[in-house]
Amino acid sequence: MARVAIYPGSFDPLTNGHVAIIQRGLNLFDRLIVSVANNPQKTPLFTLDERKGFILEAVKNDPRVEVDSFDGLLVHYARQRGVHTVLRGLRAVSDFDYEFQLANMNRKLLPEFESVFVMTGEDYFYVSSRLVREVATFGGDVTGLVPPHVASELRKKSIR
Ligand code: ADP
């Protein structure tokens, strides 16, 4: 049976840290569903379609990767998709705290739910979507932190 995992996130925008997790996830799973969270409480810099487009462009139509989105609870989406394994990335101890709570809450809500963590490499441990947004907004250079197509869209959002 094919091993499938969901890789959920805000991806606002996709960074090279996310891309590395997708690549490493593909060494563990036959297929990945990279799914963009549509959280109406957050005001994203990029629309849902833009965020999905960034991922599609980065995986260049790799048949092993599906790009999707979801509203509401991840466990409901997982149940609906019939996929109970979720891939997450860990950068630092600060991620661990939140991820540990999230993984346990999700398992409480859906007992068969399993979280698999991949640790980031030394190249991207300091890269987060939030910092990338901040740097880019003020005209900083994000080359090497995000894929080139994301960098060019970020440049258009610069306020300088
Ligand atoms: P969220 O808004 O849920 O934190 P993100 O889009 O920021 O979603 O991240 C999705 C997942 O990717 C999370 O598991 C996060 O820890 C992981 N991640 C983000 N950036 C990196 C990185 N540079 N290295 C490794 N994992 C990362």
Side-chain angles (χ1 to χ4, degrees):
M1 207 168 86
R3 290 165 306 168
V4 188
I6 296 170
Y7 178 33
S10 308
F11 304 106
D12 185 33
L14 179 77
T15 69
N16 284 338
H18 294 130
V19 174
I21 298 295
I22 293 171
Q23 282 163 351
R24 290 166 56 193
L26 286 171
N27 294 329
L28 297 169
F29 298 99
D30 301 313
R31 284 202 304 117
L32 281 184
I33 304 171
V34 183
S35 201
V36 182
N38 185 23
N39 184 349
Q41 279 161 356
K42 285 190 191 168
T43 311
L45 184 62
F46 292 101
T47 66
L48 191 63
D49 281 342
E50 286 174 320
R51 288 179 279 153
K52 287 172 76 173
F54 291 154
I55 303 166
L56 276 171
E57 174 73 25
V59 299
K60 288 268 188 307
N61 303 322
D62 185 328
R64 297 171 300 167
V65 183
E66 176 188 338
V67 181
D68 194 16
S69 59
F70 69 101
D71 299 280
L73 284 180
L74 177 61
V75 287
H76 290 164
Y77 173 69
R79 190 155 44 200
Q80 176 208 325
R81 294 296 314 248
V83 176
H84 298 147
T85 307
V86 158
L87 177 70
R88 298 286 286 176
L90 282 181
R91 276 160 294 194
V93 181
S94 49
D95 275 348
F96 178 83
D97 218 26
Y98 173 67
E99 294 290 344
F100 187 66
Q101 288 184 29
L102 195 64
N104 281 287
M105 175 60 83
N106 283 334
R107 210 167 36 205
K108 173 95 186 137
L109 296 169
L110 185 68
E112 57 268 51
F113 191 91
E114 197 59 78
S115 305
V116 172
F117 297 95
V118 169
M119 257 179 261
T120 186
E122 59 194 18
D123 293 342
Y124 302 122
F125 73 91
Y126 60 95
V127 178
S128 69
S129 296
R130 186 178 63 81
L131 272 181
V132 162
R133 284 198 303 273
E134 278 181 29
V135 170
T137 305
F138 294 106
D141 185 9
V142 292
T143 308
L145 306 180
V146 297
H149 59 285
V150 177
S152 77
E153 289 307 309
L154 274 168
R155 242 168 261 132
K156 296 180 191 164
K157 304 268 186 190
S158 168
I159 57 174
R160 284 180 57 188

